[in-house]
Amino acid sequence: MRGRHKKWAAPYLDEHPETVFNPVDPKDSFFKEGPQYLEIGIGKGDFIVAMSEKKGGNWLGLERDVSIMGMAAKKVIEAEKKNVRLRADDFDIVAEEMEGLKFDAIYLNFSDPWPKKRHSKRRLTERNRLKRIASFLKDDGLIIFKSDNPILYEFTLEEIPEAGLRIVSNTDNYDKPVEDDAMTEYERNFRSQGKPITRIIIAK
């Protein structure tokens, strides 16, 4: 997800160390108790704010676009979500910081599809990256993937077994969000346009 550059975003993130990790500190007390959840690519923060209320536990949100992260951080802070922490950088970089952390669930919502075939290795669900993501799951943890892009959906289905993972369930028409879910801003827009939503649940 890309947006217009927001000059205020980086300073705003720096001003809120109580909400924003830079870098992630696995020894922080935030990760010590209760269920732990990770969303990679949080967009403007609608999903993580809603789910942190619905499910409780502690939530770490990653977003590589600093301007988008600034908007998400404002929502988290205005909602007074003490169980949400954010990190503005690419997963491949933050993965090195997160060593030792284990999550009950990891959410991949409407990731950049990198639609050109020559860019397939940049996709978040490319087999090696997907395997790396799964390394941060608890033994019974799940990866939950949602997308509006059928090419990324089919690609992900093919990459899952290649990453040594298994498909728990999948659908190319996730027509009604389940109770244990929330919609992103993207999802609301796509549903209003009648676009089908795809969903895959992945386990080790």
Side-chain angles (χ1 to χ4, degrees):
M1 181 178 189
R2 295 289 176 181
R4 293 181 179 177
H5 178 66
K6 311 289 186 183
K7 291 183 179 180
W8 57 265
Y12 182 82
L13 296 175
D14 290 341
E15 290 165 7
H16 291 280
E18 77 285 357
T19 299
V20 182
F21 279 118
N22 188 21
V24 172
D25 179 6
K27 295 181 181 179
D28 192 282
S29 59
F30 182 80
F31 299 111
K32 298 303 181 186
E33 296 181 3
Q36 306 288 334
Y37 303 101
L38 172 65
E39 184 184 8
I40 303 175
I42 70 168
K44 295 180 181 178
D46 291 29
F47 178 87
I48 202 167
V49 169
M51 290 293 280
S52 66
E53 176 72 26
K54 183 177 289 191
K55 288 179 69 72
N58 293 327
W59 290 76
L60 175 62
L62 311 184
E63 174 56 55
R64 65 185 181 183
D65 188 298
V66 172
S67 293
I68 297 296
M69 177 60 89
M71 289 185 278
K74 275 195 169 184
K75 288 183 181 178
V76 170
I77 291 165
E78 288 171 1
E80 299 183 344
K81 293 298 178 184
K82 306 300 184 183
N83 61 334
V84 177
R85 297 288 289 274
L86 307 174
R87 174 71 171 101
D89 216 326
D90 188 88
F91 168 76
D92 291 340
I93 294 172
V94 182
E96 301 302 317
E97 304 169 4
M98 295 194 302
E99 286 295 344
L101 292 179
K102 296 292 182 180
F103 297 93
D104 294 81
I106 299 174
Y107 295 85
L108 314 179
N109 291 318
F110 302 92
S111 307
D112 190 332
W114 290 102
K116 294 182 180 179
K117 190 172 182 179
R118 69 176 183 271
H119 294 155
S120 63
K121 289 188 180 296
R122 299 183 185 182
R123 295 170 186 164
L124 193 57
T125 54
E126 181 272 333
R127 65 190 65 177
N128 293 315
R129 190 168 290 109
L130 190 58
K131 186 175 182 178
R132 183 75 166 120
I133 291 170
S135 73
F136 293 102
L137 282 177
K138 295 179 180 178
D139 289 341
D140 58 350
L142 298 171
I143 298 171
I144 298 94
F145 163 97
K146 285 194 291 186
S147 179
D148 68 306
N149 188 285
I151 294 174
L152 183 60
Y153 171 71
E154 295 294 340
F155 172 84
T156 302
L157 290 175
E158 294 173 0
E159 294 294 283
I160 291 168
E162 297 296 334
L165 305 172
R166 64 183 178 89
I167 298 169
V168 176
S169 65
N170 66 283
T171 177
D172 61 2
N173 187 19
Y174 181 48
D175 60 350
K176 185 178 180 181
V178 297
E179 183 177 349
D180 190 22
D181 193 15
M183 285 195 286
T184 70
E185 181 185 45
Y186 259 155
E187 185 173 354
R188 282 196 298 272
N189 290 339
F190 291 145
R191 288 186 181 280
S192 70
Q193 298 169 29
K195 287 187 176 182
I197 305 301
T198 64
R199 188 173 190 249
I200 311 172
I201 299 178
I202 307 161
K204 289 184 175 180

